[in-house]
Amino acid sequence: MTTTSRTDNEIMDLERESYRRFEAGDLEGLTDLFADDVLLFNPGSELLRGKQHELAALQEASKVEGLEMSWEATEARISKSEDMAWAHGSIKVKTPDGHVQMEKYVTVWMKVDGQWKLVAQVRNSNG
């Protein structure tokens, strides 16, 4: 039986908060959850370093009429030292032509100056 700790719940809350900010159109607020030098492993892209890349991509995507994206964390775990954590979940992308693409992701969180920051994000397509 797997138990969920209070700190695991903190990471799940941060994952949900990131989606709330995205849904509200608060893209800068969303990327405030990222470390400045976050590593981004996005499908079909080279490794990107820096939250400005995620902000720019989200701003461009928000301009595409009919593009929809949602994500949901499934599980989170935190290290015994309570300074590093990971979460994983699923992403749904619906393109303007109605095509639906499912992806999965892993995020890595670290405590930076006492606050949780997303330091790595890995995404890939389900097919």
Side-chain angles (χ1 to χ4, degrees):
M1 178 182 205
T2 303
T3 59
T4 303
S5 72
R6 178 187 61 79
T7 49
D8 293 343
N9 286 332
E10 286 179 52
I11 300 304
M12 290 296 285
D13 288 345
L14 284 168
E15 291 282 334
R16 286 187 285 270
E17 178 63 22
S18 71
Y19 185 66
R20 279 192 292 272
R21 291 179 186 192
F22 172 77
E23 277 289 287
D26 183 10
L27 302 180
E28 289 188 22
L30 166 60
T31 57
D32 281 347
L33 297 173
F34 289 44
D36 290 339
D37 61 349
V38 63
L39 298 174
L40 303 165
F41 300 85
N42 296 329
S45 174
E46 295 180 24
L47 168 66
L48 300 173
R49 181 184 299 267
K51 68 181 181 180
Q52 73 276 10
H53 295 291
E54 186 72 0
L55 179 58
L58 290 169
Q59 287 171 333
E60 281 302 309
S62 71
K63 296 175 186 174
V64 178
E65 187 73 32
L67 180 66
E68 299 174 18
M69 184 169 62
S70 61
W71 66 87
E72 182 176 6
T74 306
E75 180 180 24
R77 291 285 178 252
I78 192 163
S79 66
K80 286 186 181 188
S81 59
E82 296 188 2
D83 61 354
M84 183 173 267
W86 60 267
H88 72 90
S90 60
I91 301 171
K92 180 180 177 181
V93 179
K94 184 177 176 186
T95 60
D97 65 2
H99 176 74
V100 175
Q101 178 175 318
M102 297 303 296
E103 298 179 352
K104 51 198 164 294
Y105 75 90
V106 173
T107 52
V108 179
W109 296 81
M110 285 183 64
K111 284 240 175 135
V112 177
D113 297 327
Q115 291 188 312
W116 286 110
K117 293 289 183 175
L118 190 125
V119 296
Q121 176 179 269
V122 180
R123 293 177 31 215
N124 70 346
S125 174
N126 288 356

